[in-house]
Amino acid sequence: MADLPSFDELYAATHRGRTPFPWQARLARQVATDGWPTEIGVPTGLGKTACIDIAVWALACQAAERRPEERTAATRTWYVVNRRLLVDSAFEHGEALSRWLRDPSSLLRDWPDAGPDHVATLEAVAVALQRAAGLRSEHGPLHVTRLRGGADLGVRPPEPSQPALVFATVPMFASRWLFRGYGSSTSMRPVDAALAGIDSLVLLDEAHLARPLARLAAPLAACDAGDPTCLLPPERARPHFVALTATGEAHGDRFDLDGDDLAHPEIRKRLHAAKPTTVRTTPKKKLAAAPAGAAREVLAGSAAPTSCVVFANTPQTARAVFDLLGREVGGEAELHLLTGRMREREAR
């Protein structure tokens, strides 16, 4: 089989021709040769979602070069974060990856400037991923699903060897791993436990908020009654956790930015962006009017189209601000209301 495209080539095809940041390319090389680090300490806003692309590319590389029982790259990649909005955002990227790999020519509909080399890159990666699956699937080379409260729970990978991306909140993953899957029938809980606990890479984003989840790995390994490595390499016999966080103390084999990253103009710009802060006081009865007015000032004072986020500490205040802005700038701005208070069942 011809050499698989490099990670830089795949990234360019799936990110409108852009070049990956130095840390993204360096991590891809490390994963391809030495496997995943225990922790990735890259700050927020520097493209950690690219870890999904790296996982897909690393699996394609090994599927093209190794027999199934010799692969160390996991068949399923779980992107787990206890923020539903982040689950949804990453899921959209995963869906696009799946669509482009199923039909590489569809890239041209989403990105008209894509060239033949970008389409050829997707075709080569798709063929390699299909080699990983024991059975051909109607879902294409890469199955993608989302597990979070309030959303369609999707479907399981059609069979265990199907390369898949699963985007989930912490309770959705943990409950499946522990044979108590939310939304799973009693008869299917062992299947969901196997899909979560075997042959899975777990990218645990905002890991500082979910450290107990990763700490479960060792105690659960001690509960194994048999030898889970009799069918799979040790690297795939249990879930492999990678913590994505730049908050808190470093743990284990940590991957960080290096000098090339800190010298990169875009990274430097993001890390050193000014974050001016102004403290204002307002009477309680004007609690909604003050942030609504501040948002109008930001939108009106920008010379180019911009965005503004208003955070409120209660759904009532958020709705009041939303209503005020709707009456005052609704025809000039696209408004969205997102509230975080919900019933416990829907928060999973």
Side-chain angles (χ1 to χ4, degrees), residues 7-314:
F7 173 72
D8 288 27
E9 291 172 314
L10 176 61
Y11 189 91
T14 58
H15 290 78
R16 295 179 176 265
R18 292 193 292 271
T19 301
F21 286 144
W23 78 262
Q24 294 168 332
R26 190 171 77 256
L27 177 61
R29 292 193 297 270
Q30 176 176 324
V31 170
T33 56
D34 303 319
W36 286 88
T38 303
E39 192 167 294
I40 297 175
V42 175
T44 298
L46 296 183
K48 288 199 296 293
T49 308
C51 291
I52 297 168
D53 302 71
I54 293 173
V56 171
W57 176 76
L59 174 58
C61 287
Q62 291 199 6
E65 300 171 354
R66 306 184 188 184
R67 298 175 60 187
E69 64 273 18
E70 296 173 343
R71 281 196 290 108
T72 58
T75 301
R76 287 173 296 282
T77 296
W78 292 72
Y79 176 86
V80 179
V81 59
N82 221 21
R83 293 287 184 272
R84 291 173 24 145
L85 291 178
L86 295 181
V87 168
D88 289 349
S89 176
F91 173 69
E92 290 177 1
H93 178 59
E95 276 196 314
L97 278 175
S98 177
R99 182 173 66 253
W100 296 330
L101 289 168
R102 186 186 309 114
D103 177 12
S105 65
S106 67
L107 179 67
L108 297 171
R109 293 194 293 270
D110 296 326
W111 177 30
D113 292 333
D117 53 335
H118 297 122
V119 174
T121 291
L122 291 171
E123 290 174 344
V125 172
V127 169
L129 289 175
Q130 288 172 337
R131 290 168 62 91
L135 300 173
R136 291 293 182 262
S137 168
E138 63 182 12
H139 296 280
L142 184 66
H143 177 73
V144 175
T145 193
R146 171 178 55 174
L147 299 171
R148 70 152 175 84
D152 181 2
L153 295 184
V155 294
R156 299 170 182 87
E159 50 105 5
S161 69
Q162 168 71 50
L165 295 176
V166 186
F167 299 88
T169 55
V170 169
M172 282 291 185
F173 170 79
S175 66
R176 280 161 174 73
W177 190 23
L178 298 173
F179 290 81
R180 290 295 184 272
Y182 295 134
S184 297
S185 65
T186 303
S187 62
M188 291 302 296
R189 284 177 176 175
V191 174
D192 286 334
L195 293 174
I198 300 173
D199 203 6
S200 291
L201 167 69
V202 182
L203 301 175
L204 185 57
D205 203 358
E206 303 287 350
H208 54 283
L209 301 177
R211 293 201 185 279
L213 175 60
R215 294 193 188 109
L216 277 173
L220 289 184
C223 296
D224 283 334
D227 179 12
T229 66
C230 63
L231 296 177
L232 293 171
E235 297 87 350
R236 295 164 57 199
R238 299 186 180 96
H240 180 76
F241 285 86
V242 179
L244 309 182
T245 179
T247 304
E249 298 179 358
H251 294 80
D253 177 21
R254 183 180 172 98
F255 180 95
D256 283 303
L257 301 180
D258 66 6
D260 290 339
D261 296 305
L262 298 177
H264 190 281
E266 183 61 28
I267 291 180
R268 189 169 63 245
K269 175 183 175 182
R270 297 184 189 185
L271 290 178
H272 299 288
K275 303 175 181 65
T277 303
T278 301
V279 178
R280 301 182 183 181
T281 59
T282 185
K284 185 175 182 179
K285 62 181 180 181
K286 295 183 178 180
L287 196 57
R296 288 197 308 273
E297 292 175 10
V298 170
L299 296 174
S302 175
T306 189
S307 59
C308 176
V309 181
V310 178
F311 291 95
N313 61 356
T314 69

